[in-house]
């Protein structure tokens, strides 16, 4: 019989910790509901002591999510645990997750403490959490670099104190798969009472091994995998949900199963990418735009004869749809509604009218309208707040000096300026700066096309630095100069 693997999603906690990926409560609820639909078992909904916003989001998520366990994160400190318990008051199924480091380097430099004292603090925290709730998870941070003999004693003490899940994080993404697998095996052999708890993996991707390490953990007995959508997370990110789930689905010889409805993977990936303003790399396994694109002639030939020659996963199994009803400038509202519903948007007739107008404007400029175009059309309204772009005219080309004229609506005033620059984007940003009279530093500027054609929608991600804080902006348009202006204005609206 297949072993049931529990999927613990930490997109809203470890994923959301990434600078620039911050979400507001409404966005977090939207993602939490999508995770519920996807079938995750546990949602790590935030770190409530860290900010009132995080606390409020856990409360609100707890009100609407019914099936998954809701889990806030706490340091091994009583006030954190009190706060976590308070944030769970509306949750139908509750878990408290408490952590402290186990590696010598963390104990010495981060905690300026000793193994014995840290172990005592861990045990006290688990016992305290246990006074509120039966379901308590304990994490030994940096377990990846902790010596196995001490880790076994540490985990044994946590289980004895009442931990029902014990998590083994490779916090720095240092382990090799075989080494991480051996670590889990060692714990199963040397920890008294290990059968009383669920052993969990939490692997970071600093060396690109997060998924491999998590699977190695499962092979050696771990029953819970901690993941994020698209692998988002600190530095190089966390283990990605879509990769681990599809490995377990594809490699039947591992004899594991999850509760994930794989057909929802693609839509969830795009939702998280859009809300976190974090593009999915084109060659990302499972959900990248090229993951199922066969460009080499020899591959195409094989695929046409038998798709299993080069395709080990059916794209439809992860929810990448075959479009049987292409959307063009001649499509009506019914076709648009059908496609919006297919990718998860239910729109009122009034909303459909608004989107339809924008859709026609886009479809006039593009041959095919993709699902990503529709998601951008739906998301574009969020960009309509604060400063608005009313007009943009650029002059550029060889041997001209690039010039841009920009008209912005700021509150109820319309303000215009013309500036030059070393290119059309630079000229546009200079013109915007001279209207808003604010100094910001452009730290990153990234342009991507959704698919391939020169008529495609351009997506622009930027990072602006203002007074030591980083702000992210996002814009999309078939005209990349307009997309750049929208992204810049999106970032400015956040600063202002
Ligand atoms: O990476 C890590 O160690 C963590 C813990 C808090 C579980 O995120
Ligand atoms: Zn982590």
């Amino acid at each position: 019989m297949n072993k049931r693997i529990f999927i613990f999603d930490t997109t809203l906690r470890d994923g959301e910790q990434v600078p620039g990926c911050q979400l507001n409560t409404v966005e977090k609820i939207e993602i939490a509901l999508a995770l519920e639909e996807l079938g995750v078992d546990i949602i790590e909904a935030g770190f409530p002591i860290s900010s009132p916003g995080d606390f409020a989001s856990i409360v609100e998520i707890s009100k609407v999510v019914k099936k998954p366990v809701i889990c806030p994160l706490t340091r091994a400190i009583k006030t954190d645990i009190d706060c976590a318990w308070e944030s769970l008051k509306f949750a139908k199924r509750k878990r408290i997750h408490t952590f402290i480091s186990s590696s010598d380097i963390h104990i010495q430099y981060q905690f300026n403490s000793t193994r014995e004292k840290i172990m005592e603090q861990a045990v006290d925290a688990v016992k305290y959490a246990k006074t509120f709730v039966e379901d308590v998870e304990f994490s030994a941070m940096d377990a990846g670099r902790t010596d196995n003999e001490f880790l076994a004693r540490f985990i044994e003490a946590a289980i004895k104190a009442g931990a029902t899940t014990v998590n083994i994080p490779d916090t720095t993404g240092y382990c090799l798969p075989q080494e991480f697998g051996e670590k889990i095996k060692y714990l199963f052999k040397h920890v008294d009472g290990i059968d009383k708890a669920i052993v969990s993996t939490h692997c970071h991707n600093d060396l690109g091994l997060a998924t491999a390490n998590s699977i190695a953990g499962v092979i050696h007995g771990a029953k819970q995998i901690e993941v994020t959508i698209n692998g988002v997370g600190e530095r190089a990110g966390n283990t990605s949900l879509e990769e681990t789930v599809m490995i377990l689905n594809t490699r039947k010889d591992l004899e594991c199963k999850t509760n994930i409805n794989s057909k929802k993977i693609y839509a969830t990936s795009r939702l998280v990418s859009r809300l976190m303003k974090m593009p999915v790399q084109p060659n990302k396994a499972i959900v990248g735009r090229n993951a199922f694109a066969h460009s080499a002639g020899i591959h195409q030939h094989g695929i046409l004869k038998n798709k299993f020659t080069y395709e080990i996963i059916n794209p439809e199994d992860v929810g990448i749809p075959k479009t049987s009803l292409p959307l063009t400038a001649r499509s009506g509202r019914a076709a648009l509604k059908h496609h919006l519903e297919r990718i998860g948007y239910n729109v009122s007739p009034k909303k459909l009218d608004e989107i339809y107008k924008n859709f026609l404007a886009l479809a006039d400029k593009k041959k095919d309208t993709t699902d990503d175009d529709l998601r951008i059309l739906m998301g574009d309204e969020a960009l309509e707040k604060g400063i608005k772009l009313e007009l943009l005219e650029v002059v550029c080309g060889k041997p001209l000096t690039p010039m841009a004229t920009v008209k912005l609506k700021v509150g109820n005033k319309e303000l215009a300026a013309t500036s030059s620059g070393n290119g059309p984007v630079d000229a546009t940003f200079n013109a915007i700066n001279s209207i808003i009279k604010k100094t910001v530093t452009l730290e990153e500027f990234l342009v991507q096309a959704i698919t391939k054609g020169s008529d495609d929608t351009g997506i622009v991600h930027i990072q602006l630095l203002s007074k030591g804080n980083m702000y992210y902006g996002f814009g999309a348009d078939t005209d990349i100069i307009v997309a750049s202006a929208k992204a810049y204005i999106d970032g400015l609206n956040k600063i202002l």
Side-chain angles (χ1 to χ4, degrees):
M1 208 179 60
N2 284 350
K3 181 168 86 169
R4 170 77 155 87
I5 302 297
F6 296 96
I7 299 295
F8 175 114
D9 184 281
T10 182
T11 306
L12 296 175
R13 198 277 298 168
D14 219 333
E16 210 253 349
Q17 248 163 259
V18 178
C21 286
Q22 274 71 29
L23 302 164
N24 62 35
T25 301
V26 173
E27 291 166 336
K28 284 187 190 172
I29 292 173
E30 195 173 347
I31 292 181
L33 289 172
L35 293 173
E36 179 169 36
E37 282 267 300
L38 183 64
V40 309
D41 298 288
I42 304 109
I43 296 177
E44 188 163 51
F47 192 3
I49 197 88
S50 69
S51 74
D54 238 33
F55 179 90
S57 297
I58 300 169
V59 173
E60 296 309 318
I61 289 170
S62 300
K63 287 182 189 164
V64 294
V65 166
K66 294 185 188 70
K67 280 183 258 156
V69 172
I70 303 296
C71 174
L73 179 70
T74 79
R75 290 167 300 176
I77 297 177
K78 278 190 174 173
T79 44
D80 277 34
I81 297 170
D82 291 336
C83 177
W85 179 243
E86 180 70 17
S87 74
L88 283 175
K89 62 184 165 212
F90 296 107
K92 280 88 198 156
R93 301 176 66 205
K94 311 168 205 258
R95 171 181 297 185
I96 292 178
H97 178 192
T98 188
F99 76 99
I100 198 161
S101 294
S102 55
S103 67
D104 289 332
I105 184 165
H106 279 212
I107 293 175
Q108 185 180 346
Y109 293 102
Q110 198 175 342
F111 292 92
N112 190 21
S113 188
T114 61
R115 283 182 168 187
E116 286 60 39
K117 283 194 199 144
I118 288 285
M119 184 127 91
E120 204 180 303
Q121 193 176 336
V123 166
D124 288 349
V126 172
K127 283 188 178 159
Y128 189 61
K130 212 61 191 177
T131 62
F132 297 107
V133 65
E134 168 55 24
D135 188 350
V136 173
E137 171 165 337
F138 173 71
S139 284
M141 186 149 86
D142 205 18
R145 291 189 300 169
T146 303
D147 97 71
N148 285 349
E149 197 269 328
F150 175 63
L151 185 63
R153 281 202 285 130
F154 204 55
I155 293 298
E156 192 170 296
I159 295 175
K160 229 167 149 193
T164 41
T165 299
V166 284
N167 186 32
I168 312 301
D170 185 20
T171 305
T172 57
Y174 176 77
C175 289
L176 297 175
Q178 191 192 354
E179 193 182 3
F180 192 75
E182 287 297 326
K183 193 176 277 289
I184 301 293
K185 190 168 160 189
Y186 183 93
L187 295 176
F188 272 101
K189 205 158 159 206
H190 293 92
V191 171
D192 261 359
I194 192 115
D195 48 313
K196 293 203 191 91
I198 288 182
V199 174
S200 164
T201 64
H202 176 111
C203 297
H204 279 266
N205 204 30
D206 299 68
L207 293 173
L209 293 172
T211 299
N213 285 342
S214 305
I215 297 296
V218 166
I219 289 172
H220 287 95
K223 286 216 188 83
Q224 171 178 290
I225 316 181
E226 302 203 351
V227 292
T228 60
I229 301 292
N230 300 333
V232 291
E234 290 275 19
R235 308 179 308 278
N238 286 62
T239 304
S240 96
L241 178 144
E242 55 279 7
E243 290 171 16
T244 39
V245 166
M246 291 316 291
I247 289 171
L248 300 182
N249 282 6
T250 307
R251 294 300 304 253
K252 306 269 186 257
D253 47 336
L254 294 177
E255 299 185 344
C256 291
K257 62 172 185 206
T258 69
N259 192 39
I260 297 295
N261 175 357
S262 68
K263 290 202 160 57
K264 303 265 175 196
I265 284 180
Y266 186 71
T268 316
S269 155
R270 287 307 183 265
L271 173 75
V272 168
S273 167
R274 180 167 61 79
L275 294 180
M276 286 195 163
K277 319 253 188 292
M278 180 70 114
V280 176
Q281 76 192 60
N283 58 334
K284 167 88 177 62
I286 317 296
V287 288
R289 130 184 130 219
N290 292 348
F292 298 97
H294 300 275
S295 48
I298 185 165
H299 287 200
Q300 288 180 349
H301 181 76
I303 287 274
L304 288 174
K305 291 205 154 157
N306 177 341
K307 65 183 187 157
F308 295 111
T309 48
Y310 289 95
E311 218 165 71
I312 57 165
I313 300 170
N314 182 350
E316 284 160 54
D317 287 351
V318 293
I320 297 179
K322 265 203 207 126
T323 305
S324 53
L325 196 59
L327 275 175
T328 69
R330 282 169 300 284
S331 305
R333 282 175 179 70
L336 177 62
K337 186 164 183 282
H338 163 81
H339 284 284
L340 287 173
E341 280 170 1
R342 185 176 54 71
I343 60 172
Y345 294 101
N346 281 313
V347 287
S348 65
K350 185 164 168 273
K351 180 89 193 164
L352 183 65
D353 274 349
E354 283 165 31
I355 299 294
Y356 188 63
K357 261 190 253 147
N358 298 344
F359 157 72
L360 284 185
L362 179 74
D364 268 342
K365 295 185 214 159
K366 280 196 76 180
K367 270 203 298 286
D368 307 306
T369 308
T370 64
D371 289 349
D372 279 340
D373 285 321
L374 295 184
R375 290 187 184 96
I376 287 166
L377 280 181
M378 292 301 293
D380 239 12
E381 309 144 81
L383 308 175
E384 291 290 310
K385 299 187 184 109
I387 303 172
K388 280 188 202 158
L389 180 67
E390 294 281 297
L391 174 139
L392 171 61
E393 260 175 31
V394 286
V395 179
C396 63
K398 212 172 170 186
L400 304 174
T401 302
M403 300 285 290
T405 299
V406 171
K407 197 194 284 175
L408 300 181
K409 189 147 188 208
V410 185
N412 42 24
K413 283 196 209 133
E414 278 195 349
L415 303 167
T418 300
S419 293
S420 60
N422 64 9
V425 173
D426 189 45
T428 303
F429 290 0
N430 289 341
I432 295 173
N433 287 345
S434 74
I435 297 173
I436 55 139
K437 299 192 178 35
K438 196 148 179 75
T439 321
V440 292
T441 312
L442 185 61
E443 285 283 309
E444 187 163 326
F445 177 68
L446 174 73
V447 186
Q448 279 189 324
I450 291 183
T451 51
K452 303 175 199 64
S454 57
D455 68 337
D456 200 0
T457 299
I459 300 176
V460 176
H461 293 265
I462 60 164
Q463 290 180 35
L464 298 176
L465 187 66
S466 171
K467 295 189 183 149
N469 292 321
M470 196 68 87
Y471 298 87
Y472 282 67
F474 172 80
D477 201 280
T478 48
D479 179 325
I480 57 165
I481 313 296
V482 173
S484 307
K486 284 183 179 175
Y488 197 64
I489 291 168
D490 184 36
L492 288 172
N493 276 329
K494 287 176 190 152
I495 296 173
L496 298 170

